[in-house]
Amino acid sequence: MSFQDKSIQCADCGTTFTFTAKEQEFFQSKGYTNEPKRCPECRASRKERQGNGGYRSSGSGYSARRQMFPATCAQCGKDTQVPFEPREGRPVYCSDCYSAVRPSR
Ligand SMILES: [Zn+2]
Ligand SMILES: [Zn+2]
């Protein structure tokens, strides 16, 4: 298998960048079938922007390092832990009820 350097136009800024043979090899070794659509700079800046708000995955996405606070579920009364400090007047749900109460997207 041999690869050749390839010129690709960045979908974000329009710059033509080189998808090098080495990178193609790397991509293939990772099992990626798509070519990169963005130049390295745009990829880096996208990564930076996506770095923080990673709270999208529902269900098993809790990181073990997050500080947890004991709370009582407002729905079923079960003792649970929540990743934020419970405030008075704000209902807290266990993970089961939370997913039931929240409309899933
Ligand atoms: Zn770009
Ligand atoms: Zn509950």
Side-chain angles (χ1 to χ4, degrees):
M1 242 335 152
S2 69
F3 295 94
Q4 277 186 323
D5 286 8
K6 210 174 196 178
S7 288
I8 295 179
Q9 203 179 28
C10 173
D12 272 5
C13 67
T15 306
T16 304
F17 65 98
T18 307
F19 187 30
T20 64
K22 250 198 166 159
E23 286 170 318
Q24 292 173 50
E25 213 179 315
F26 176 76
F27 259 58
Q28 214 192 43
S29 74
K30 291 274 183 183
Y32 302 149
T33 49
N34 294 326
E35 294 171 346
K37 291 199 178 64
R38 289 172 185 85
C39 69
E41 275 124 81
C42 287
R43 255 179 276 158
S45 58
R46 276 174 77 89
K47 235 185 211 167
E48 247 168 59
R49 261 180 283 155
Q50 292 176 342
N52 303 330
Y55 196 63
R56 254 184 228 173
S57 54
S58 58
S60 56
Y62 282 171
S63 81
R65 295 218 188 136
R66 192 187 287 267
Q67 195 189 352
M68 300 297 275
F69 297 88
T72 306
C73 176
Q75 186 78 12
C76 68
K78 212 162 72 175
D79 283 337
T80 184
Q81 295 200 316
V82 290
F84 52 87
E85 201 170 357
R87 301 267 169 96
E88 253 182 80
R90 287 183 86 195
V92 171
Y93 302 105
C94 68
S95 53
D96 291 341
C97 296
Y98 186 79
S99 50
V101 162
R102 283 257 158 159
S104 58
R105 293 206 172 176

